[in-house]
Amino acid sequence: MSEELTIGFRFYPTEDELIAFYLRNQLEGRSDDSMYRVIPVLDVFEVEPSHLPNVAGERCRGDAEQWFFFAPRQEREARGGRPSRTTGSGYWKATGSPGPVISKDNRMIGLKKTMVFYTGKAPTGRKTKWKMNEYKAVDETVSVSTIPKLRHEFSLCRVYITSGSSRAFDRRPVGNFETERMLTSDVGVAETSFRVGSSPETSMSGGEHVDLSVNTEMVDGLTEPIWEWEQLNWS
C-alpha cells in the first residue's frame, strides 16, 4: 500500500545528492523499491518525452516540472558504439559543453551533459521545450592520481520542460546560494578547457579546471562531440 504524502511534498535533490547518493547506490546495486518509487529504471531515449511524466516514479508522477530516471547503458554502447538518442518523432541533441559536477566538499564526482529534444529528422529538426540533464558518476575505484574515468553502467537523467519562469530546481535556498556564490567563479570557456561556474542548473560547483580534448563523430545523422579527459587541475 502506498504511503500518503504530505501536501506540498516534492523531490528536491541537489546535483551532489543525485550523483553521490542516488546514482552511486544504483551503480553499486544498493537501490531498493523505495528508491525506484522516486527514480525508476528506464531507457529514456526509447520513449517520447511527452510520455515520460506518465512513467516516472510514483512519488514524482504528480510533479509538473521535472522527472528522474536511471538510464541503463544501451547494448550498442556496451559493444563500443555510440548510444542512440532517436525516438519515433524526433531526437535528443547535446547542447553546450559537458561540465563536471563538484561535491560540497570540493571533489569532482561526475559529469553533466545537457540535451534538447527536436522533432523531425536530423539535422533539420524543430527544437522543442523538452530538455534533459544526463549525469554520469566518476569511477571512485580508480586512483585520484590517474585521469578520471566515468561509470557507464547507468546514468541518471533529469527531464524537464523549459518555461519563461524559474523552475523549482533552479531556486536554491538563500543560505545555500550565498555559500555557492563564494565557492564559484565566472564561467570561462576555452578551446580545450573550461572553468566551472555558478549557473541555475549547477549545484555547489567549485572553481575547478577540467581540460578536455574534443573529437567529433556522426551519431544518428548528427555531429556530436566526444569528450576525452586530458588533464584535471585541482585549485
Side-chain angles (χ1 to χ4, degrees):
M1 183 173 63
S2 62
E3 301 174 12
E4 292 293 331
L5 299 179
T6 303
I7 293 175
F9 171 88
R10 68 187 305 251
F11 188 47
Y12 189 81
T14 63
E15 291 183 332
D16 187 348
E17 293 164 342
L18 285 175
I19 293 177
F21 180 76
Y22 290 99
L23 182 53
R24 186 69 60 190
N25 276 309
Q26 176 65 16
L27 289 168
E28 300 302 331
R30 296 192 296 262
S31 297
D32 55 21
D33 290 342
S34 62
M35 191 175 296
Y36 292 139
R37 292 171 65 189
V38 180
I39 309 178
V41 176
L42 179 74
D43 186 348
V44 294
F45 301 111
E46 290 186 346
V47 181
E48 300 296 341
S50 60
H51 296 167
L52 290 174
N54 297 326
V55 293
E58 60 182 270
R59 290 204 166 193
C60 293
R61 222 165 276 169
D63 197 323
E65 294 184 328
Q66 57 180 345
W67 307 271
F68 301 84
F69 303 91
F70 291 123
R73 177 169 53 183
Q74 296 176 354
E75 289 187 12
R76 61 188 290 181
E77 187 179 9
R79 293 194 298 266
R82 300 290 292 170
S84 172
R85 300 195 183 107
T86 59
T87 70
S89 67
Y91 56 95
W92 289 97
K93 180 181 178 181
T95 179
S97 301
V101 178
I102 308 301
S103 68
K104 56 187 176 184
D105 59 353
N106 272 341
R107 292 183 302 110
M108 179 181 168
I109 57 175
L111 193 70
K112 177 178 77 171
K113 177 185 292 185
T114 299
M115 287 174 271
V116 177
F117 188 76
Y118 288 74
T119 57
K121 299 292 185 180
T124 58
R126 183 175 181 179
K127 186 176 181 179
T128 73
K129 294 184 176 182
W130 287 96
K131 295 188 73 174
M132 178 192 303
N133 296 143
E134 182 182 22
Y135 301 92
K136 290 194 175 184
V138 166
D139 188 349
E140 294 185 340
T141 64
V142 178
S143 171
V144 294
S145 62
T146 62
I147 297 174
K149 294 184 179 180
L150 299 176
R151 296 281 299 270
H152 295 282
E153 303 97 304
F154 285 93
S155 59
L156 196 158
C157 298
R158 170 161 55 187
V159 179
Y160 58 97
I161 302 173
T162 57
S163 65
S165 60
S166 177
R167 295 177 297 279
F169 63 85
D170 290 340
R171 301 190 292 270
R172 317 315 300 173
V174 174
N176 288 350
F177 175 76
E178 292 299 327
T179 303
E180 179 177 358
R181 188 171 61 178
M182 290 187 292
L183 290 174
T184 56
S185 57
D186 293 336
V187 175
V189 180
E191 184 176 356
T192 58
S193 66
F194 59 91
R195 178 184 295 273
V196 181
S198 177
S199 71
E201 295 171 5
T202 302
S203 302
M204 302 303 293
S205 297
E208 317 300 341
H209 281 89
V210 179
D211 294 333
L212 304 171
S213 66
V214 186
N215 296 318
T216 58
E217 179 173 315
M218 292 297 293
V219 181
D220 297 325
L222 299 172
T223 301
E224 292 200 349
I226 304 172
W227 298 86
E228 300 172 351
W229 298 107
E230 282 190 343
Q231 183 179 4
L232 184 63
N233 300 318
W234 300 94
S235 58

